[in-house]
Amino acid sequence: MSSTSMPVIKSRPITIVEEIPISKTLKFWEGLKEGKVYATKCCKCGRLYFPPSADCPDCLCSDMQWVKLSNEAEVETFTHVVIRPTSFCEYKPYTVAIGKLKEGVKVLAWLTGFKLSQIRVGMKVKLAAKVSQEGNPTYEFTPP
Amino acid sequence: MRKVAVIGVGNSKFGIRNDVNVSELAFEAVKPSLEDAGLAAKDVQFVALGSVGAGAWYEELLPAVVVGEYCGLTGAGLVRCEAACASSSAAFFSAYSAVASGHADVALALGVEKMREIDTPTAMEWIGRAGYYFWEFHNFGLTFPAYYALYASAHMAKYGTTEEDLALVAVKSHKYAAMNPFAHLQNRVTIDDVLSSMVIASPLKLYDCCPMTDGAASVVVASEEKVRELRIDTPIWVAGIGYSSGTANLSRRRDFVGLDASVLASQRAYKAAGITPSQVDFAEVHDCFTIAEIMAYEDLGFCGRGEGAKLVREGQTEIGGKIPVNMDGGLKAKGHPIGATGCSMVYELTKQLREEAVERSRQVPLKNYVGLAHNVGGTGHYCYVTILRR
């Protein structure tokens, strides 16, 4: 709790854990476990979406197909996060980047395997699926 | 649509306000705004309250109801507006619309935020979730400084903006905040202080970031008929409001060197007011981080794309420059009580346009008697631009 010299009453504590549905993007999460990163493509207008979307925001069509992404990306921007939120305090400081894939979509993910001083906007990186230390399927950028 | 004027404004002291709860803090802004307008609480027909942390970083889930009762506003039409850090600009738009449409003759827009009742990592957690939790926070732990740091890295890479340029924004903000008794941070800082402060999310350091602040601001608006009836001396007219939004996922953005929502919202506001950027005498811009102020100069058309750093280097956004910006210390040093910032910007515009009660050392020179408030929610997720004219 915040330290204060003022008199206060503590609120009743609660713990909140939401159960987030992934039925419509299940192939994406299963794909990560198999080392594949999928996007969705609208069967009507042909637009490609990452993060994958079960419905097309452009033409409102819900007929979408899964497309496996290449792993070739270029860093558009990045930051090294030193001061971390509560649920990430157990981690060491991490680097987050937004990379543009060959297919044109952009991906936001952690960038690992580089010294901070080596990272440049415009550098080539590889997009890789992985399972996190907590056991969550995820994806990251790594050296090509 | 009817003409609408700001006829009363109030602003609480900003800072770590562990001496008051949310209602008591709001009261500090509502009471002076009603007194300024010469009205009683019962005269207000519609109330819109901007606040973000209800039930998260402070305990009340329905702050509009709680604050409404505490300030004697019960019975008026009531709504809470959420547009992240632009929530009370959204509330101002709501109150303005109520009067412009003829639904109400007198409406009140209010913003209040209590950010210091929880510890800092938990506050970082809540605010970091304010984007697209599922795709950009859950696995990647983005923080609010980190979102803007992504823009800073891209702006620096594309236009050669430097960490020293960012530091100049902080130096300016602290300089003017030191003249503002409402400001949270009233210490002056040097470029070296900024550059040597701890890294929060590279390239942003502690002094590139706004503080987490408790505060409230309140604005009373009225119709032209009511302004005449009340014999208001110096009504400050709403000349134009523009709004826009950006994608939830930062990865769906076109680039990371400016905020499209700011560009669109300002173009719409200029069109509504029938003016160009060069006719704005002074501005309040959304400088939650130093890079945000530099991007705002460019997005609002105060300079060309990539020229924002040059504007601050030349001192063009200080008193005596081309367009003074954030003469109250800005979010950066006055403080950023998220839901209160929009109404606090309107407070400052109104005081400056009336040429009253502002400490003389930071009164801006007025030529066209036009001021602009630029209020961004999230990282360009929402944007409201409000133009006022005396």
Side-chain angles (χ1 to χ4, degrees), chain A residues 16-18 20 85-88, chain B residues 52 56-57 84 121-138 141-145 147 248 378-379 381:
Chain A
I16 301 169
V17 177
E18 284 115 350
I20 307 166
T86 302
S87 64
F88 284 81
Chain B
V52 180
W57 52 75
T122 306
M124 298 285 281
E125 174 93 19
W126 278 121
I127 305 168
R129 289 173 177 225
Y132 206 138
Y133 167 84
F134 189 61
W135 292 110
E136 298 198 336
F137 182 89
H138 185 77
L142 266 288
T143 61
F144 202 47
Y147 287 118
T379 315
H381 291 105

Side-chain angles (χ1 to χ4, degrees), chain B residues 261-332:
Chain B
S262 296
V263 174
L264 273 171
S266 62
Q267 286 171 352
R268 288 171 181 162
Y270 291 134
K271 193 177 172 204
I275 62 166
T276 62
S278 63
Q279 288 169 281
V280 177
D281 288 328
F282 69 105
E284 286 280 296
V285 310
H286 197 90
D287 63 328
C288 44
F289 301 95
T290 50
I291 183 63
E293 177 158 330
I294 286 177
M295 290 196 301
Y297 298 161
E298 300 172 8
D299 292 339
L300 298 171
F302 298 159
C303 63
R305 188 56 68 193
E307 294 170 358
K310 184 164 168 273
L311 213 59
V312 70
R313 267 181 233 142
E314 290 174 350
Q316 297 290 0
T317 50
E318 302 228 17
I319 286 173
K322 188 176 145 193
I323 176 159
V325 171
N326 293 351
M327 293 298 105
D328 55 356
L331 284 59
K332 171 61 203 88

